[in-house]
Amino acid sequence: MKAWSKHPVIYEINTWVWLRELGLKYQKPVDLATVPEREWDAIAAYGFDAVWFMGVWERSPAGIAISMRNKGLIEDFRRALPDFSAEDNVGSPYCVRRYVVDQRLGGPKGLAAARKALAQRGIRLILDFVPNHVAPDHPWVIEHPEYFVQGNADDARNDPASFIEAGGKVFACGRDPFFPAWPDVLQLNTFQPGLRQAVIETVSEIAGQCDGVRCDMAMLLLNNIFERTWGARAGAKPTSDFWTTVIRAVRKKHREFKFIAEAYWDLEWELQQQGFDHCYDKKLYDRMEHGDGSSVREHLLADPSYQQGMVRFIENHDEPRAATVFPDGKGRAAAVATLTLMGVKLLHEGQFEGRRVRLPVFLARRPAEQADPDLTAFYQKLLKAVDRDIFRNGAWRLCEQSGWPDNQSCRNILAWCWAKDNERCLIVVNFSGSASQGMVRVPLDDLRGRTLQLQDAMTSDVYERRGDDMYGTGMYVDLPPWGFHFFSWSQV
């Protein structure tokens, strides 16, 4: 297997749902060990660097029972799946009973077979790790109660939504400090030395089965955040941070193993400094959803070392489907932008077909939806266009744009270029619902003194332009609402 790319493309698959639908397609049970070769070939045809199999670990019967008593969750299930029945609820993949691949998905041998099939096609494997909490029937509850944040009988009596009794002790439920506690999970105490060692051993075992982990709600485990959330219940704050300790220990044996953080609250840089390779870029997502081209461009002025460590996306299992948030042309413009930026590019199974229903992660079944063949064809062409080494390992630079006193629509325009060896690419996106014009200056010295044939990878149109103009005053662009150019040329 070749080394990781600097800017890899990762494809998230809801493993349980995907295997169930393959079973219906082939009219026989399908698990990770028996996925037909043609399905692996279909995934490989998109040019992904890695696949993230979301939700492979053993789920919790206790967690399922708790979720079935939660009226809000049941309503959410029925919104997504109007004919929902109890059998559809296989439990939350983030309520882990054991870090062992669920036998119903093929068990550890099935995962090994799937990893081998992906590796044969040059694709790496990402799995989940949930550092903040575990299921109430996890073995540690009985074997190592000291690993958890605990309460007392008064806590359980006065705040039953946040504290539950298990194994003769009272445990705090897992939580994000800005929201009510999660009722189906117990809070781990990351200040506890034994727990830290147990986590190192757990992640090391996971690292023997895949090439990287996506760490759920990673910022909750930062020492300062954990101390503010749990106070005296957590005990004395360690001198070393949780992630620094864990990542360094795991990397002693697994040097190329990737750590990817689900992260919010502007803590991405701190997590990168503690060893994470990549962190969710939720700020970019929010600016694309609610902001304009100027706000997106402002975000892209950040230091390149920070940007290389970000995960760009317009959809994942936590967010609404892109087809609902970024409809029509906006979705295509956002896709072109995110797939041509620095850092990891994350895509979600169903995104290409234009699925609109965000499925709760508890469910093994999703509703049938009509696929959008035009959108699928668009993604196929776009992914083919970015499946080149220039976008995986090249140098990225933001371009300047300018307009005129009576026309400032240039502020809607996003533009950047890539360079590697003799290849050059220029991406220009009108991130607005109105036509926009401007001059785009391309900061590549080797443009000067040349006449270039620019080919648009998305339309096959060819434009002849003077390099001196592109480097100097800029190249004139006139784009329709949500329009874009995807130019390539060679420096021969």
Side-chain angles (χ1 to χ4, degrees):
M1 183 77 74
K2 63 181 181 180
W4 277 97
S5 301
K6 289 182 181 178
H7 314 286
V9 180
I10 299 176
Y11 186 51
E12 179 190 0
I13 293 176
N14 184 328
T15 314
W16 209 298
V17 172
W18 180 65
L19 291 174
R20 179 188 177 277
E21 292 183 353
L22 288 180
L24 294 174
K25 178 178 178 179
Y26 291 98
Q27 298 185 325
K28 62 180 182 180
V30 175
D31 63 21
L32 289 168
T34 59
V35 172
E37 292 292 317
R38 70 182 68 174
E39 298 298 333
W40 298 126
D41 291 340
I43 289 173
Y46 282 109
F48 303 124
D49 296 272
V51 165
W52 165 21
F53 276 136
M54 191 276 287
V56 301
W57 305 121
E58 188 176 300
R59 305 191 189 193
S60 165
I64 294 172
I66 293 169
S67 69
M68 290 301 292
R69 298 194 295 268
N70 187 316
K71 291 183 179 179
L73 274 178
I74 298 300
E75 290 174 1
D76 195 28
F77 297 164
R78 290 193 169 124
R79 274 194 295 269
L81 197 62
D83 60 343
F84 165 78
S85 66
E87 292 74 23
D88 296 316
N89 181 5
V90 293
S92 169
Y94 300 100
C95 176
V96 176
R97 184 178 181 275
R98 291 192 307 158
Y99 282 97
V100 177
V101 179
D102 197 295
Q103 288 298 329
R104 291 167 290 181
L105 302 178
K109 290 184 178 179
L111 182 69
R115 186 186 186 190
K116 181 179 179 181
L118 290 169
Q120 288 171 342
R121 294 160 174 83
I123 302 172
R124 295 179 182 268
L125 176 63
I126 305 292
L127 299 177
D128 293 295
F129 177 61
V130 189
N132 187 66
H133 49 260
V134 295
D137 48 357
H138 190 287
W140 287 347
V141 175
I142 301 299
E143 297 169 5
H144 291 285
E146 71 276 13
Y147 289 175
F148 297 85
V149 174
Q150 296 189 24
N152 55 41
D154 287 340
D155 293 320
R157 182 169 54 254
N158 298 328
D159 190 2
S162 303
F163 293 87
I164 61 175
E165 190 277 335
K169 296 184 179 294
V170 174
F171 297 94
C173 293
R175 69 175 308 147
D176 171 333
F178 296 105
F179 295 95
W182 297 302
D184 61 340
V185 292
L186 305 185
Q187 178 66 50
L188 294 168
N189 185 355
T190 59
F191 287 1
Q192 213 278 338
L195 183 276
R196 289 191 171 195
Q197 184 57 40
V199 167
I200 290 168
E201 292 170 4
T202 298
V203 179
S204 295
E205 289 178 5
I206 293 172
Q209 302 172 69
C210 62
D211 304 288
V213 282
R214 178 267 194 189
C215 297
D216 186 68
M217 298 292 281
M219 73 288 177
L220 295 179
L221 291 310
L222 292 169
N223 276 4
N224 291 338
I225 300 296
F226 199 83
E227 183 180 45
R228 288 202 297 269
T229 303
W230 294 107
R233 294 184 190 276
K237 181 171 69 173
T239 55
S240 62
D241 234 298
F242 174 81
W243 286 118
T244 303
T245 302
V246 171
I247 293 173
R248 283 179 180 173
V250 173
R251 286 233 174 94
K252 286 181 180 179
K253 293 184 179 179
H254 305 276
R255 295 187 179 278
E256 290 194 5
F257 194 71
K258 294 292 184 184
F259 284 84
I260 300 170
E262 179 193 19
Y264 309 104
W265 312 341
D266 293 328
L267 293 168
E268 298 85 1
W269 177 248
E270 185 172 348
L271 288 163
Q272 288 180 18
Q273 297 306 107
Q274 291 190 20
F276 275 94
D277 299 282
H278 302 283
C279 300
Y280 273 30
D281 195 351
K282 182 63 160 58
K283 181 171 286 186
L284 177 64
Y285 174 90
D286 289 340
R287 291 190 180 201
M288 284 189 161
E289 180 182 4
H290 303 293
D292 57 16
S294 293
S295 68
V296 172
R297 188 179 191 280
E298 182 181 286
H299 182 64
L300 300 178
L301 291 169
D303 186 89
S305 63
Y306 168 81
Q307 292 203 58
Q308 185 173 325
M310 302 307 286
V311 179
R312 323 290 197 172
F313 58 86
I314 58 171
E315 183 179 308
N316 60 58
H317 71 263
D318 287 312
E319 305 293 348
R321 285 291 192 175
T324 62
V325 176
F326 301 97
D328 305 322
K330 184 176 183 179
R332 300 188 186 206
V336 169
T338 53
L339 277 167
T340 58
L341 288 172
M342 298 176 72
V344 167
K345 277 70 73 170
L346 176 63
L347 296 152
H348 187 205
E349 192 270 329
Q351 181 176 339
F352 308 159
E353 296 79 24
R355 283 188 171 271
R356 304 180 66 85
V357 176
R358 187 191 70 82
L359 191 74
V361 292
F362 294 74
L363 302 185
R365 182 170 65 93
R366 64 184 172 187
E369 295 187 66
Q370 186 68 41
D372 181 342
D374 290 340
L375 185 63
T376 302
F378 161 80
Y379 270 107
Q380 288 172 338
K381 182 174 286 189
L382 177 58
L383 283 163
K384 182 178 180 181
V386 300
D387 187 17
R388 295 151 58 189
D389 195 46
I390 187 173
F391 293 107
R392 297 301 202 276
N393 296 298
W396 178 93
R397 294 184 69 179
L398 191 64
C399 299
E400 296 178 3
Q401 83 277 31
S402 60
W404 305 271
D406 61 344
N407 182 357
Q408 285 294 297
S409 62
C410 62
R411 295 181 179 180
N412 301 324
I413 294 173
L414 303 171
W416 43 83
C417 58
W418 286 87
K420 188 170 193 305
D421 301 327
N422 291 327
E423 276 196 275
R424 304 289 183 269
C425 288
L426 171 65
I427 312 299
V428 186
V429 178
N430 174 17
F431 203 73
S432 80
S434 58
S436 299
Q437 301 81 35
M439 305 295 290
V440 173
R441 184 178 178 275
V442 185
L444 297 174
D445 290 343
D446 54 22
L447 288 170
R448 290 181 288 186
R450 306 175 66 89
T451 298
L452 304 172
Q453 299 290 321
L454 310 182
Q455 181 163 349
D456 194 316
M458 299 300 289
T459 65
S460 298
D461 292 337
V462 177
Y463 301 81
E464 185 175 287
R465 293 291 185 269
R466 294 179 67 247
D468 288 335
D469 293 339
M470 293 172 65
Y471 181 80
T473 56
M475 181 178 72
Y476 176 74
V477 295
D478 183 356
L479 288 166
W482 310 115
F484 46 82
H485 289 306
F486 194 124
F487 289 134
S488 298
W489 68 94
S490 296
Q491 293 292 109
V492 180

